[in-house]
Amino acid sequence: MITEKLQNAINEQITAEMWSSNLYLAMSFYMEKEGYNGMASWLKKQASEEKAHACEMASYIIKRGGKAKLDKIDVVPNDFGTPLEVFEQVAQHERRVSKMIDELVDVASAEKDKATQDFLEQVEEEATADGIVDMIKKAGDAGIFFVDSKLGERR
Ligand code: MG
């Protein structure tokens, strides 16, 4: 059985993952409106991935005999600037989420729950956004639609 403290901490993370999902979906809508359909598609897939993280965490809590809960999800921004600025914000947000997961691992460690530590380390995603920021910088204005079409290839 998972401890109440850890269950609550993971439930908070579930809400944070859903906020991330909404953030990326809002970015996707924004980029589609701006005419960057490949980037919009990449961001929509990212949004689905965050929702999948929330579901994985919920299933994990339930499997460990706890109760998964969703809380109120705060409003997300709807305007994000240039493509470079959008992906800088994605990278920044990923770093913030990594830090949150690290803190959650610390809670699991304090509760001496090794299984949860292992589970959380699996969920933690690799920072792909930094690579995209780099690609956009190198491409410049002339290459931006090349990057857009590259990102549109994400499965
Ligand atoms: Mg996530």
Side-chain angles (χ1 to χ4, degrees):
M1 185 102 172
I2 198 162
T3 65
E4 178 123 25
K5 186 177 178 187
L6 196 46
Q7 171 191 288
N8 293 345
I10 300 173
N11 274 324
E12 272 177 39
Q13 187 62 34
I14 288 175
T15 298
E17 297 291 333
M18 292 306 295
W19 189 84
S20 297
S21 182
N22 279 2
L23 175 69
Y24 294 142
L25 196 55
M27 286 176 169
S28 174
F29 297 159
Y30 172 84
M31 291 308 266
E32 188 175 335
K33 167 84 176 154
E34 294 292 302
Y36 298 102
N37 290 329
M39 293 180 184
S41 161
W42 190 97
L43 287 158
K44 201 170 277 177
K45 280 169 185 149
Q46 189 67 24
S48 300
E49 202 169 277
E50 301 308 339
K51 189 176 169 186
H53 290 159
C55 293
E56 272 175 59
M57 289 178 191
S59 292
Y60 179 77
I61 291 176
I62 295 161
K63 202 170 72 187
R64 292 287 309 277
K67 184 168 170 62
K69 292 176 222 166
L70 264 179
D71 207 337
K72 194 180 94 174
I73 296 151
D74 286 338
V75 71
V76 293
N78 283 297
D79 290 291
F80 301 97
T82 64
L84 178 60
E85 285 165 342
V86 169
F87 281 93
E88 278 172 343
Q89 288 169 77
V90 174
Q92 193 184 38
H93 184 64
E94 277 185 8
R95 276 192 287 276
R96 208 176 304 137
V97 172
S98 288
K99 205 167 154 251
M100 288 164 77
I101 302 274
D102 286 345
E103 284 163 7
L104 209 45
V105 169
D106 289 344
V107 177
S109 167
E111 300 285 292
K112 302 195 184 343
D113 188 333
K114 183 81 174 81
T116 299
Q117 287 179 60
D118 292 346
F119 166 74
L120 290 169
E121 271 150 18
Q122 267 171 41
V123 172
E124 180 137 32
E125 60 207 271
E126 73 278 28
T128 50
D130 279 329
I132 296 171
V133 166
D134 208 45
M135 196 161 45
I136 293 172
K137 281 182 181 164
K138 283 185 181 130
D141 286 347
I144 194 66
F145 284 102
F146 171 75
V147 177
D148 185 58
S149 110
K150 274 308 254 188
L151 294 185
E153 290 169 11
R154 176 177 178 179
R155 307 211 166 259

CSV table of all heavy atoms in Angstrom, one decimal, residues 13 17 20 49-50 53 57 97 101 123 125, ligand 1:
chain,number,residue,atom,x,y,z
A,13,GLN,N,1.0,15.8,-8.8
A,13,GLN,CA,1.8,15.7,-10.1
A,13,GLN,C,0.8,15.3,-11.2
A,13,GLN,O,1.0,15.8,-12.3
A,13,GLN,CB,2.9,14.6,-9.9
A,13,GLN,CG,3.8,14.6,-11.1
A,13,GLN,CD,4.6,15.9,-11.4
A,13,GLN,OE1,4.9,16.6,-10.4
A,13,GLN,NE2,4.8,16.2,-12.6
A,17,GLU,N,0.6,17.3,-14.6
A,17,GLU,CA,0.8,16.7,-15.9
A,17,GLU,C,-0.4,17.2,-16.8
A,17,GLU,O,-0.2,17.4,-18.0
A,17,GLU,CB,0.8,15.2,-15.9
A,17,GLU,CG,2.0,14.6,-15.1
A,17,GLU,CD,3.3,14.8,-15.7
A,17,GLU,OE1,3.4,14.9,-17.0
A,17,GLU,OE2,4.4,14.8,-15.0
A,20,SER,N,0.3,20.6,-17.9
A,20,SER,CA,1.3,20.6,-19.0
A,20,SER,C,0.6,20.2,-20.3
A,20,SER,O,0.9,20.8,-21.4
A,20,SER,CB,2.3,19.5,-18.7
A,20,SER,OG,3.1,19.8,-17.6
A,49,GLU,N,1.1,13.0,-24.8
A,49,GLU,CA,2.0,12.3,-24.0
A,49,GLU,C,1.9,12.7,-22.5
A,49,GLU,O,2.0,11.9,-21.6
A,49,GLU,CB,3.5,12.7,-24.5
A,49,GLU,CG,4.5,11.7,-24.1
A,49,GLU,CD,5.8,11.9,-24.9
A,49,GLU,OE1,5.9,11.4,-26.0
A,49,GLU,OE2,6.7,12.5,-24.3
A,50,GLU,N,1.7,14.0,-22.3
A,50,GLU,CA,1.5,14.5,-20.9
A,50,GLU,C,0.3,13.9,-20.2
A,50,GLU,O,0.3,13.5,-19.1
A,50,GLU,CB,1.5,16.0,-20.8
A,50,GLU,CG,2.7,16.7,-21.3
A,50,GLU,CD,4.0,16.2,-20.8
A,50,GLU,OE1,4.0,15.6,-19.7
A,50,GLU,OE2,5.1,16.4,-21.4
A,53,HIS,N,1.1,10.5,-19.3
A,53,HIS,CA,1.8,10.4,-18.0
A,53,HIS,C,0.9,10.5,-16.8
A,53,HIS,O,1.0,9.8,-15.8
A,53,HIS,CB,2.8,11.6,-17.9
A,53,HIS,CG,3.9,11.6,-18.8
A,53,HIS,ND1,4.7,12.7,-19.2
A,53,HIS,CD2,4.5,10.5,-19.5
A,53,HIS,CE1,5.6,12.3,-20.1
A,53,HIS,NE2,5.5,11.0,-20.3
A,57,MET,N,0.5,7.5,-14.0
A,57,MET,CA,0.6,7.8,-12.5
A,57,MET,C,-0.7,7.4,-11.8
A,57,MET,O,-0.6,6.8,-10.7
A,57,MET,CB,0.9,9.3,-12.3
A,57,MET,CG,2.3,9.7,-12.7
A,57,MET,SD,2.6,11.4,-12.5
A,57,MET,CE,4.1,11.6,-13.4
A,97,VAL,N,9.3,20.7,-14.9
A,97,VAL,CA,8.6,19.4,-14.6
A,97,VAL,C,9.6,18.4,-14.1
A,97,VAL,O,9.4,17.6,-13.1
A,97,VAL,CB,7.9,18.8,-15.8
A,97,VAL,CG1,7.4,17.4,-15.6
A,97,VAL,CG2,6.7,19.7,-16.2
A,101,ILE,N,9.5,16.3,-10.6
A,101,ILE,CA,9.6,14.8,-10.5
A,101,ILE,C,10.7,14.4,-9.5
A,101,ILE,O,10.6,13.5,-8.7
A,101,ILE,CB,9.8,14.1,-11.9
A,101,ILE,CG1,8.7,14.5,-12.8
A,101,ILE,CG2,10.0,12.6,-11.7
A,101,ILE,CD1,7.5,13.6,-12.8
A,123,VAL,N,9.1,7.4,-15.7
A,123,VAL,CA,8.2,8.4,-16.3
A,123,VAL,C,8.9,9.6,-16.8
A,123,VAL,O,8.5,10.2,-17.8
A,123,VAL,CB,7.1,8.8,-15.3
A,123,VAL,CG1,6.2,9.9,-15.9
A,123,VAL,CG2,6.2,7.5,-15.0
A,125,GLU,N,10.8,12.2,-18.6
A,125,GLU,CA,11.2,12.2,-20.0
A,125,GLU,C,12.5,12.9,-20.4
A,125,GLU,O,12.9,13.8,-19.6
A,125,GLU,CB,10.0,12.8,-20.9
A,125,GLU,CG,9.7,14.2,-20.5
A,125,GLU,CD,8.3,14.6,-20.8
A,125,GLU,OE1,8.1,15.0,-22.0
A,125,GLU,OE2,7.4,14.4,-20.0
B,1,MG,MG,5.0,14.6,-18.3
